[in-house]
């Protein structure tokens, strides 16, 4: 009997999920899709993570395993799909990276799940049981809180054995959310639903507990507890609550951000006593997730805009526009077949108006395939318009966005349509260079490189591609050299119209996600061995027309997707000139030679660092009183309840200097408390230090929590050191003076 046949049903199901998802993963990565946060990349990530989760949760795998399963997919299918064998190493590397990343997010996600669920329980129960909160009429907030904490502390000690170990929930929820004993009772019911908790006896227990105390306040509160006898458990209502979108939104966010699977979240809630209907839970969870993704844009591909119905009407009325831009940049007898004003109405366009014009034939290239739309002019008898953009809202319909400079444009006008040639040439250079850089990236980085988007503009090109790590300086240089080598060879750039099937058989590269007709344009550089792609854009006649090529940046835009920007032609030359000017100015300022510039900059940086250290040390000496005859023995300390306290504002120090000064002053005091404040850009920060012999009597964290609210902030820390800050720097003096009073309060018997 095989291992599979001897497995449980849940284990068999996990095996089938892993096998199915491994096939999808291997084929997707081989096709250039990498796990990410948007569109098809997001779908792949979910597929992979579901498989990994099943292996960890149901099969007990603690080490990466999924990449091995994907490797078996390559072994079994590479005969029919040889591209899998070519991409074997890349598939394995990407799957392992995602598997390790998901392992980290699972660890973080489970911790976050604890935090979210605990806070969620506290908020929910506080809503249900607000009318049963501890009565605190006549008490200050501090007194009421102390009574409640004391009461719950005794509850933990006396009922821990009877109702189970609720140490973690108690410490987190009660003290963080300050919920009342009645609310806490319901929390225990949720955590231990099988245990019989008599609410009447519970209320009487607390009443007797409080009335037995000597404090009059506690006696009065004890009397109030007898009014709690009429409440009833709401465990069922709580489960109903967790089947609505609002309650599940924080859990859906956890799934969306950290990848914590929703079935794991449901199991977790079930273990907490929240019994949920699976179908209802899944429906509401998915709704909550969709709302999150709708707002964030994650998991979907953005559309620029909805297509206006009027374009369909125009296309139906006037037919397709004839594009002649491959052969010419000027047409003398183009006819205006449609005019739209800025509101989208069919009308005339007069002097100063902005709108759109459709021609029967045009040399203007409409934005497509990453190439921006052409600009230029439309000129006729006593009329002229500037074309600021060209786009195609529907296949075959070319729309010119215009601003009228002279006269009036109406349907039937005959005009000269002329593309701005210098701009078109610059765009051509960048478009052909984009094809060259795509081929060069495959050559240098590997065949796993796939185009993931591009922008071809007159002054730059942007190319997105699949790759799992930043390019090294050597790789960038190698890509630049390869592209420039083909430019210098002045290889011819040719286009051929082919049937789509013939083009694919010839080895032409097609872009994933692009829509192609039955006949396509195939662009080849030289003999096509280095670069041959399907492309409908405009290009140079030979690679030498590009002039030169320079990469200006390389950055990550998503998991496994990088983006490079580059320039060509005159823009590249202009960049070289700018670099020369910067270098010459630097040489002049540093009084050095060109080959010694890096060393001169390093020496200057070291000198700046050394000077800054000396300045900080000088400031510290001034603050401690070791310069200028000031006291150096801590004489500025006040005596507070027999303890030396130094509380003052120090100017000119950064955060690190403030800490160093507190160390120095505390060492001088030997036994005492130091409170230092400083202001920077209108904001204030405070540090409190307490010597070891006093930290049981005066806790630095308690002191900082009392005085930082004065400057509008918050803080915390250890018993011997605490820090905090706030935006109200004008009240720093008041906060520092308050430090003496707060410390005196803690020291008082």
């Amino acid at each position: 009997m095989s291992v599979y046949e001897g497995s449980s049903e849940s284990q068999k199901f996990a095996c089938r999920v892993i096998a199915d998802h491994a096939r999808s993963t291997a084929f997707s990565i081989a096709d250039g899709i990498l796990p990410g946060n948007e569109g098809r990349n997001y779908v792949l990530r979910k597929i992979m993570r579901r498989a990994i989760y099943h292996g960890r949760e149901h099969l007990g795998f603690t080490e990466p395993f999924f990449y091995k399963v994907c490797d078996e997919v390559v072994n079994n299918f590479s005969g029919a799909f040889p591209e899998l064998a070519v991409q074997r190493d890349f598939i394995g590397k990407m799957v392992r990276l995602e598997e390790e990343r998901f392992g980290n997010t699972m660890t973080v996600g489970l911790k976050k799940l604890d935090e979210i669920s605990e806070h969620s329980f506290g908020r929910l129960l506080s809503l249900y049981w607000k009318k049963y909160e501890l009565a605190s009429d006549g008490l200050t907030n501090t007194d009421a809180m102390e009574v409640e904490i004391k009461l719950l502390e005794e509850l933990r000690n006396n009922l821990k054995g009877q109702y189970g170990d609720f140490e973690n929930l108690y410490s987190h929820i009660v003290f963080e959310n300050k919920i009342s004993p009645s609310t806490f009772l319901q929390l225990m019911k949720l955590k231990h639903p099988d245990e019989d908790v008599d609410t009447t006896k519970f209320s009487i227990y607390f009443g007797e507990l409080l009335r037995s105390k000597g404090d009059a306040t506690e006696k009065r509160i004890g009397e109030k507890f007898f009014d709690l006898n009429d409440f009833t458990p709401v465990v069922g209502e709580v489960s109903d609550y967790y089947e609505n979108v609002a309650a599940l939104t924080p859990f859906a966010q956890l799934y969306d951000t950290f990848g914590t699977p929703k079935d794991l979240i449901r199991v977790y809630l079930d273990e907490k006593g929240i019994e949920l209907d699976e179908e209802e839970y899944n429906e509401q969870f998915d709704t909550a997730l969709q709302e999150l993704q709708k707002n964030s844009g994650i998991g979907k591909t953005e559309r620029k805009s909805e297509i206006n119905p009027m374009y369909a009407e125009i296309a139906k009325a006037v037919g397709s526009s004839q594009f002649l831009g491959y052969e010419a940049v000027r047409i003398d007898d183009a006819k205006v077949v449609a005019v739209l004003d800025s509101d989208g109405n069919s009308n005339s366009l007069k002097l100063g108006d902005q709108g759109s014009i459709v021609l029967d034939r045009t040399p203007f290239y409409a934005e497509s395939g990453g190439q921006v739309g052409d600009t230029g002019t439309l000129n006729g008898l006593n009329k002229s318009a500037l074309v600021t953009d060209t786009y195609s809202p529907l296949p075959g319909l070319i729309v010119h966005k215009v601003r009228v400079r002279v006269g009036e444009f109406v349907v039937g006008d005959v005009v000269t349509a002329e593309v701005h040639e210098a701009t078109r040439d610059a765009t051509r250079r960048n478009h052909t260079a984009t094809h060259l850089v795509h081929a060069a990236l495959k050559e240098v980085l590997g065949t796993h490189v796939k185009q993931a988007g591009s922008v071809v503009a007159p002054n730059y090109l942007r190319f997105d591609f699949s790759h799992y790590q930043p390019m090294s300086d050597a790789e960038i240089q190698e890509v630049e050299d390869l592209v420039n080598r083909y430019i210098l060879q002045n290889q011819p750039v040719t286009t051929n119209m082919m049937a789509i099937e013939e083009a694919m058989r010839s080895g032409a590269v097609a872009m994933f996600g692009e829509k192609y007709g039955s006949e396509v344009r195939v662009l080849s550089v030289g003999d096509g061995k280095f670069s041959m792609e399907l492309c409908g854009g405009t290009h140079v006649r030979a690679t030498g027309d590009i002039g030169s090529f320079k990469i200006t940046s390389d950055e990550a835009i998503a998991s496994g997707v990088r983006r490079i920007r580059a320039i060509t032609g005159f823009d590249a030359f202009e960049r070289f000139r700018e670099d020369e000017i910067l270098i010459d100015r630097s040489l002049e300022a540093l009084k050095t030679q060109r080959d010694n510039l890096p060393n001169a900059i390093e020496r200057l940086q070291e000198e700046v660092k050394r000077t800054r250290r000396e300045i900080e040390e000088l400031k510290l000496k001034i603050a401690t009183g070791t310069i200028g005859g000031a006291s150096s023995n801590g004489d500025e300390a006040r005596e507070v309840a027999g303890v030396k306290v130094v509380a003052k504002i120090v100017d000119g120090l950064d955060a690190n200097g403030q800490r160093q000064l507190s160390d120095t002053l505390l060492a001088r005091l030997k036994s005492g408390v130091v409170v230092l404040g400083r202001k920077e850009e209108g904001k204030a920060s405070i540090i409190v230090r307490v010597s070891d012999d006093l930290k049981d009597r005066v806790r630095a964290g308690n002191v900082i929590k009392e005085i930082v609210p004065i400057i509008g902030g918050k803080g915390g820390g250890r018993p011997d050191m605490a820090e905090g800050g706030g935006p109200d720097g004008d009240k720093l003096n008041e906060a520092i003076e308050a430090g003496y009073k707060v410390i005196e309060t803690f020291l008082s018997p």
Side-chain angles (χ1 to χ4, degrees):
M1 184 174 66
S2 67
V3 174
Y4 176 81
E5 292 172 344
S7 302
S8 66
E9 285 303 315
S10 62
Q11 290 174 326
K12 289 180 179 178
F13 178 75
C15 290
R16 293 194 294 272
V17 169
I18 292 169
D20 182 56
H21 289 196
R23 288 193 295 272
S24 300
T25 298
F27 278 94
S28 296
I29 293 177
D31 203 23
I33 305 172
L34 301 178
N37 292 328
E38 295 184 0
R40 60 182 184 265
N41 309 86
Y42 182 68
V43 173
L44 175 59
R45 170 163 283 172
K46 289 200 297 183
I47 288 173
M48 295 176 67
R49 291 190 167 185
R50 181 171 176 81
I52 296 166
Y53 166 68
H54 274 280
R56 286 172 171 263
E57 186 69 15
H58 300 294
L59 301 180
F61 296 137
T62 56
E63 298 295 328
F65 72 94
F66 193 52
Y67 75 98
K68 298 177 182 177
V69 183
C70 291
D71 195 57
E72 282 301 310
V73 172
V74 176
N75 288 336
N76 282 276
F77 289 92
S78 56
F81 302 94
E83 62 270 23
L84 288 174
V86 174
Q87 302 286 357
R88 179 192 295 272
D89 291 342
F90 181 65
I91 293 169
K93 184 175 294 185
M94 291 309 304
V95 174
R96 179 145 193 168
L97 284 173
E98 183 65 20
E99 196 165 5
E100 291 171 350
R101 186 183 293 115
F102 183 50
N104 295 332
T105 59
M106 280 285 286
T107 302
V108 176
L110 289 173
K111 182 179 179 182
K112 292 287 184 183
L113 184 58
D114 283 332
E115 295 176 4
I116 290 174
S117 59
E118 288 176 12
H119 281 293
S120 185
F121 288 150
R123 289 194 300 270
L124 172 65
L125 292 172
S126 293
L127 289 174
Y128 276 129
W129 298 100
K130 191 172 182 62
K131 63 180 179 178
Y132 302 120
E133 286 182 348
L134 189 62
S136 57
D137 294 340
L139 296 178
T140 65
N141 290 337
T142 302
D143 290 340
M145 188 182 302
E146 288 180 355
V147 171
E148 188 170 355
I149 290 173
K150 189 182 298 182
L151 182 149
L152 289 167
E153 184 73 12
E154 191 150 355
L155 167 67
R156 184 185 66 177
N157 294 333
N158 285 277
L159 301 186
K160 185 172 180 180
Q162 182 178 353
Y163 294 118
D165 182 4
F166 46 82
E167 176 89 19
N168 292 332
L169 283 176
Y170 168 83
S171 62
H172 189 80
I173 296 180
V174 173
F175 287 100
E176 290 293 327
N177 296 287
K178 307 299 185 296
I179 62 176
S180 66
S182 58
T183 302
F184 190 57
L185 169 63
Q186 297 310 306
L187 185 63
M188 287 198 307
K189 284 177 174 292
L190 281 177
K191 187 168 176 63
H192 306 284
D194 297 331
E195 296 182 5
D196 183 21
V197 180
D198 190 315
T199 56
T200 301
K201 290 181 180 179
F202 179 86
S203 301
I204 294 174
Y205 169 81
F206 269 103
E208 293 294 339
L209 176 66
L210 291 172
R211 286 196 297 176
S212 67
K213 306 293 183 183
D215 187 277
T217 298
E218 292 175 340
K219 285 184 178 180
R220 186 165 70 254
I221 297 173
E223 297 292 342
K224 295 284 186 180
F225 264 86
F226 282 102
D227 297 333
L228 300 180
N229 293 344
D230 61 346
F231 69 81
T232 56
V234 291
V235 173
E237 296 177 37
V238 173
S239 295
D240 291 341
Y241 171 84
Y242 276 96
E243 288 182 354
N244 71 68
V245 173
L248 291 175
T249 296
F251 296 101
Q253 193 165 23
L254 181 66
Y255 166 83
D256 200 43
T257 304
F258 295 97
T260 308
K262 68 178 180 180
D263 47 351
L264 175 60
I265 295 173
R266 181 173 173 272
V267 170
Y268 181 92
L269 291 174
D270 186 61
E271 291 173 351
K272 294 293 183 183
I274 310 297
E275 298 181 2
L276 304 173
D277 177 75
E278 183 176 0
E279 184 175 344
E280 183 71 16
Y281 166 80
N282 288 335
E283 181 180 339
Q284 299 299 341
F285 191 101
D286 290 342
T287 302
L289 184 62
Q290 288 169 9
E291 289 297 319
L292 282 173
Q293 294 177 349
K294 183 189 299 180
N295 295 331
S296 68
I298 297 297
K300 64 184 181 185
T301 302
E302 293 287 346
R303 294 184 61 184
K304 288 186 178 180
S305 62
E306 293 295 327
I307 297 175
N308 194 316
M310 68 179 180
Y311 291 123
E313 296 177 7
I314 293 173
K316 184 178 180 180
V318 305
S320 298
S321 304
Q322 185 181 6
F323 176 63
L324 302 174
Y326 293 128
E327 298 82 19
V329 293
R330 171 176 171 147
I331 296 176
D332 292 323
D333 54 353
K335 183 178 180 181
V336 176
V337 294
V339 177
L340 302 173
D341 61 21
S342 57
D343 296 325
N345 300 315
S346 297
N347 209 331
S348 64
L349 292 177
K350 300 180 181 179
L351 176 65
D353 287 349
Q354 296 187 46
S356 301
I357 289 177
V358 179
L359 304 175
D360 63 340
R361 40 208 303 271
T362 179
F364 287 83
Y365 181 83
E367 179 181 354
S368 178
Q371 181 175 329
V372 300
D374 278 334
T375 60
T377 58
L378 300 179
N379 297 306
L381 185 61
N382 299 323
K383 62 191 65 181
S384 177
L386 183 67
V387 179
T388 58
D389 193 13
T390 310
Y391 59 98
S392 179
L394 291 173
L397 182 65
I398 299 176
V399 180
H400 308 76
K401 188 175 180 180
V402 302
R403 184 172 71 251
V404 179
R405 299 185 296 181
V406 178
E408 178 182 6
F409 283 81
V410 297
V411 173
D413 285 342
V414 176
V415 297
T416 296
E418 186 171 7
V419 175
H420 190 282
E421 190 167 5
T423 303
R424 165 71 79 83
D425 287 344
T427 305
R428 284 171 171 165
R429 289 193 290 269
N430 285 331
H431 202 157
T432 306
T434 300
H435 286 237
L436 291 176
V437 76
H438 188 189
L441 287 168
K442 285 179 176 290
E443 186 84 15
V444 174
L445 302 180
T447 55
H448 64 273
V449 169
K450 298 286 192 302
Q451 181 174 338
S454 68
V455 172
V456 179
N459 55 341
Y460 75 98
L461 68 90
R462 193 185 78 195
F463 189 78
D464 302 342
F465 60 99
S466 55
H467 191 51
Y468 48 86
Q469 64 187 18
M471 294 174 65
S472 66
D473 291 341
E475 288 171 336
I476 291 175
Q477 182 176 330
E478 191 174 352
V479 169
E480 289 178 338
D481 289 347
L482 193 54
V483 173
N484 281 303
R485 188 175 300 119
Y486 271 88
I487 291 173
L488 291 173
Q489 290 174 1
N490 200 27
Q491 297 271 0
V493 178
T494 57
T495 56
N496 294 288
M497 298 301 297
M498 297 184 184
I500 182 66
E501 296 83 2
E502 181 186 356
M504 299 308 294
R505 284 196 300 270
S506 70
V509 176
M511 297 300 105
F512 185 89
E514 289 287 335
K515 295 181 179 179
Y516 297 102
S518 58
E519 193 173 43
V520 293
R521 289 174 60 87
V522 178
L523 182 99
S524 301
V525 176
D527 58 8
K529 291 181 180 179
F530 182 67
S531 174
M532 182 166 59
E533 296 186 22
L534 275 58
C535 183
T538 58
H539 290 270
V540 297
R541 294 177 298 276
T543 57
D545 295 344
I546 299 173
S548 60
F549 171 82
K550 174 65 181 172
I551 294 175
T552 58
S553 68
D554 167 44
E555 60 183 344
I557 60 170
S559 176
V561 181
R562 302 201 63 79
R563 169 176 291 170
I564 61 172
R565 298 174 189 268
I567 49 179
T568 63
F570 291 109
D571 292 298
F573 286 121
E574 185 61 31
R575 173 65 175 256
F576 298 149
R577 291 193 189 100
E578 290 175 358
D579 290 346
E580 285 296 313
I581 292 172
L582 290 174
I583 292 172
D584 289 342
R585 288 180 178 176
S586 300
L587 294 174
E588 183 179 352
L590 295 173
K591 308 298 182 185
T592 188
Q593 299 298 317
R594 189 183 185 94
D595 58 352
N596 195 45
L597 182 59
N599 293 332
I601 293 174
E602 288 177 6
R603 286 196 301 270
L604 181 62
Q605 288 178 325
E606 289 299 323
E607 185 177 338
V608 170
K609 289 178 183 178
R610 184 173 61 255
T611 303
R612 285 176 178 170
R613 284 197 300 269
E614 292 172 353
I615 292 172
E616 291 302 322
E617 290 171 1
L618 185 59
K619 287 179 179 178
L620 191 59
K621 289 178 180 179
I622 294 172
T624 56
T626 57
I627 292 178
S631 170
S632 61
N633 298 312
D635 293 338
E636 68 271 30
R638 281 193 208 174
E639 192 89 8
V640 177
V643 172
K644 290 181 180 180
V645 179
V646 175
K648 66 178 184 178
I649 297 175
V650 293
D651 295 318
L653 295 181
D654 58 11
N656 187 52
Q658 186 182 30
R659 295 188 193 100
Q660 290 183 33
L661 179 58
S662 69
D663 289 338
T664 303
L665 293 178
L666 190 63
R668 288 181 183 172
L669 291 177
K670 295 182 180 178
S671 175
V673 181
V674 175
V675 181
L676 299 180
R678 68 181 183 92
K679 285 193 289 187
E680 186 176 7
E681 297 180 352
K683 298 179 181 179
S685 64
I686 300 174
I687 185 171
V688 178
R689 298 294 305 276
V690 179
S691 58
D692 289 340
D693 62 315
L694 294 172
K695 62 185 181 183
D696 290 335
R697 298 172 60 193
V698 183
R699 292 178 174 267
N702 293 340
V703 175
I704 203 79
K705 287 178 181 177
E706 292 290 337
I707 63 176
V708 170
I710 296 174
I711 57 175
K714 57 184 179 180
R718 306 189 306 269
D720 61 330
M721 184 180 78
E723 295 180 278
D728 197 349
D730 294 335
K731 291 188 177 181
L732 183 57
N733 280 321
E734 181 183 342
I736 295 299
E737 282 299 316
Y740 288 111
K741 298 178 182 178
V742 171
I743 293 168
E744 184 177 11
T745 301
F746 285 118
L747 289 170
S748 299

